[in-house]
């Protein structure tokens, strides 16, 4: 089996082996030194997948805004299941994982912590700093028809999307100003944190461990029994945990990771499809062709053409 490089393979010993993802390095090097990175949720999902295993962002805050569909969010040791529109905020080093519906759309903002501190320093330590919003993960359902702050926040995010299509000092300043207004709305909405889902810590640990094993072995095409043996749980329990925490059966999570990598290679690599099939651990390119068409609804060639 050939070695592989994955954005989720970056280790950080200071965070108990939970991967640290630097968006600038892993996804878009154009933003490697940027203070703010904006991206559409669906574009990041094309690259990282809809099932995002546990990770953190050292020295960066991240705001995910899901406009539609269901999202299952795990913030540190707390779980939520929320319908869009909603947002969740993750401070630096906070471990988080999430699963979104395949057709979910939204916004993702990654901002350097020093910039966030500067923008929100005027709110004072009680409201924003120390043990306030600055260091607290949030998960909030949005009701723009009823709440002016929610409506304004969604409008500001659409403005950030427009500003992000340009590259100049004026647009950079506009992004910072809009981010400050978004953060103020987050502060106003922070007391509406969504109801926590009652989930045993051991189940969350098993789910995260399963995702970690998938990341390490999806190219090996292991049977589900081999995964459950490595975690020391039954297949039935593993499947029940995955359905509850991700809304998907365990076998589907394995398949989705393989499909995610196939889509990524077809989009970002110029390698022939036959070579991609071997990279993904398929011994027979014809079987990969059938696998991809069955799960994507189109052929690998058609998918690549649509993305170019």
């Amino acid at each position: 089996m050939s070695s592989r490089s994955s954005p989720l393979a970056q280790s950080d010993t200071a965070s108990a082996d939970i991967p640290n993802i630097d968006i600038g390095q892993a996804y878009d090097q154009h933003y490697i030194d940027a203070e703010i990175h904006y991206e559409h949720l669906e574009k990041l999902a094309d690259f990282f997948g809809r099932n995002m295993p546990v990770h953190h962002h050292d020295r960066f805050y991240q705001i995910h805004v899901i406009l539609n569909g269901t999202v299952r969010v795990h913030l540190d040791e707390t779980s939520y299941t929320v319908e869009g529109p909603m947002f969740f905020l993750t401070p630096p080093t906070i471990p988080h994982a999430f699963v979104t519906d395949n057709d979910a759309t939204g916004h993702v903002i990654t901002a350097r912590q020093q910039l966030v501190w500067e923008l929100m320093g005027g709110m004072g330590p009680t409201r924003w700093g120390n043990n306030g919003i600055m260091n607290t993960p949030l998960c909030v359902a949005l009701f723009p028809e009823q709440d002016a702050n929610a409506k304004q926040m969604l409008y500001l995010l659409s403005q950030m999307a427009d500003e992000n299509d340009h590259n100049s000092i004026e647009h950079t300043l506009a992004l910072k100003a809009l981010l400050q207004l978004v953060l103020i709305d987050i502060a106003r909405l922070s007391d509406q944190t969504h109801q926590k889902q009652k989930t045993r810590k051991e189940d969350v640990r098993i789910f995260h461990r399963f995702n970690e094993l998938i990341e390490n072995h999806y190219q090996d095409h292991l049977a589900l029994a081999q995964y459950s043996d490595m975690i020391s749980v039954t297949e039935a329990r593993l499947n029940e945990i995955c359905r509850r925490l991700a809304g998907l059966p365990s076998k589907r999570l394995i398949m989705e990771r393989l499909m995610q990598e196939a889509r990524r290679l077809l989009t970002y690599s110029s390698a022939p499809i036959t070579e991609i099939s071997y990279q993904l651990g398929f011994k027979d390119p014809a079987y990969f062709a059938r696998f991809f068409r069955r799960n994507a609804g189109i052929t690998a060639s058609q998918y690549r053409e649509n993305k170019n």
Side-chain angles (χ1 to χ4, degrees):
M1 187 67 60
S2 62
S3 62
R4 59 187 180 269
S5 175
S6 167
L8 298 180
Q10 304 174 49
S11 63
D12 182 31
T13 55
S15 300
D17 296 326
I18 294 175
N20 170 46
I21 297 180
D22 186 319
I23 292 292
Q25 292 181 347
Y27 173 70
D28 188 346
Q29 294 195 358
H30 176 71
Y31 289 95
I32 199 165
D33 295 318
E35 293 183 293
I36 303 174
H37 179 278
Y38 169 91
E39 189 55 275
H40 295 283
L41 172 75
E42 48 272 37
K43 288 191 67 176
L44 281 176
D46 280 346
F47 188 81
F48 288 106
R50 293 282 177 174
N51 173 30
M52 195 67 189
V54 64
H55 63 283
H56 74 281
H57 305 283
D58 186 34
R59 293 185 292 277
F60 286 89
Y61 285 85
Q62 199 165 60
I63 306 163
H64 283 79
V65 180
I66 315 298
L67 298 177
N68 56 285
T70 302
V71 58
R72 291 168 173 83
V73 185
H74 310 284
L75 302 176
D76 206 351
E77 296 181 345
T78 304
S79 300
Y80 306 86
T81 300
V82 193
E83 293 290 327
M86 59 82 69
F87 79 85
F88 61 94
L89 167 74
T90 50
T93 73
I94 292 294
H96 56 285
F98 55 93
V99 183
T100 61
D101 288 347
N102 287 333
D103 57 352
T105 60
H107 313 274
V108 182
I109 300 169
T110 309
R112 200 172 294 276
Q113 70 175 16
Q114 191 62 40
L115 173 65
V116 173
W117 290 349
E118 290 171 4
L119 293 176
M120 301 308 292
M123 292 191 68
T126 302
R127 181 62 171 154
W128 185 261
N130 297 340
N131 294 321
I133 303 166
M134 179 176 286
N135 296 313
T136 305
L138 299 173
C139 181
V140 177
L142 298 173
F143 302 95
E145 295 84 6
Q146 307 166 23
D147 190 322
N149 292 322
K151 182 178 181 179
Q152 175 175 272
M153 179 180 172
L154 294 177
Y155 171 74
L156 292 169
L157 287 160
S158 68
Q159 294 295 105
M160 290 191 76
D162 291 341
E163 290 290 346
N164 196 64
D165 289 336
H166 307 279
N167 185 19
S168 69
I169 185 62
E170 292 85 357
H171 293 294
T172 299
L173 290 171
L175 276 176
K176 290 182 181 181
L178 288 166
L179 174 61
Q180 185 175 42
L181 293 173
V182 168
L183 291 169
I184 290 170
D185 281 329
I186 286 175
R188 290 168 171 167
L189 294 162
S190 63
D191 59 352
Q192 301 177 32
T193 297
H194 197 76
Q195 184 176 0
K196 299 177 183 178
Q197 180 178 319
K198 293 183 179 179
T199 306
R200 294 195 309 172
K201 291 182 180 180
E202 178 63 9
D203 289 351
V204 174
R205 185 196 68 79
I206 289 171
F207 178 70
H208 289 334
R209 176 59 177 155
F210 181 47
N211 274 286
E212 179 185 15
L213 289 171
I214 292 173
E215 189 64 29
N216 292 333
H217 295 288
Y218 67 88
Q219 290 177 317
D220 301 330
H221 298 249
L222 302 182
L224 184 60
Q226 293 173 282
Y227 282 105
S228 62
D229 286 346
M230 286 188 282
I231 307 174
S232 299
V233 297
T234 65
E235 290 182 49
R237 185 183 178 196
L238 180 59
N239 193 54
E240 187 274 329
I241 290 172
C242 290
R243 285 185 178 277
R244 183 155 37 83
L245 297 188
L248 295 170
S250 46
K251 287 184 178 180
R252 183 74 184 180
L253 289 174
I254 300 170
M255 185 277 295
E256 286 289 345
R257 181 61 184 94
L258 200 55
M259 279 296 295
Q260 173 205 334
E261 196 66 19
R263 288 190 292 263
R264 182 187 296 165
L265 290 171
L266 289 168
T267 302
Y268 298 100
S269 166
S270 59
I273 293 175
T274 297
E275 182 180 327
I276 288 175
S277 70
Y278 290 131
Q279 289 181 33
L280 294 172
F282 289 88
K283 296 180 180 179
D284 182 359
Y287 179 62
F288 168 70
R290 293 193 296 272
F291 169 83
F292 189 91
R293 183 165 189 168
R294 183 171 65 249
N295 289 285
I298 58 175
T299 67
S301 296
Q302 290 171 329
Y303 181 86
R304 172 172 271 176
E305 289 172 5
N306 291 343
K307 288 295 179 180
N308 293 332

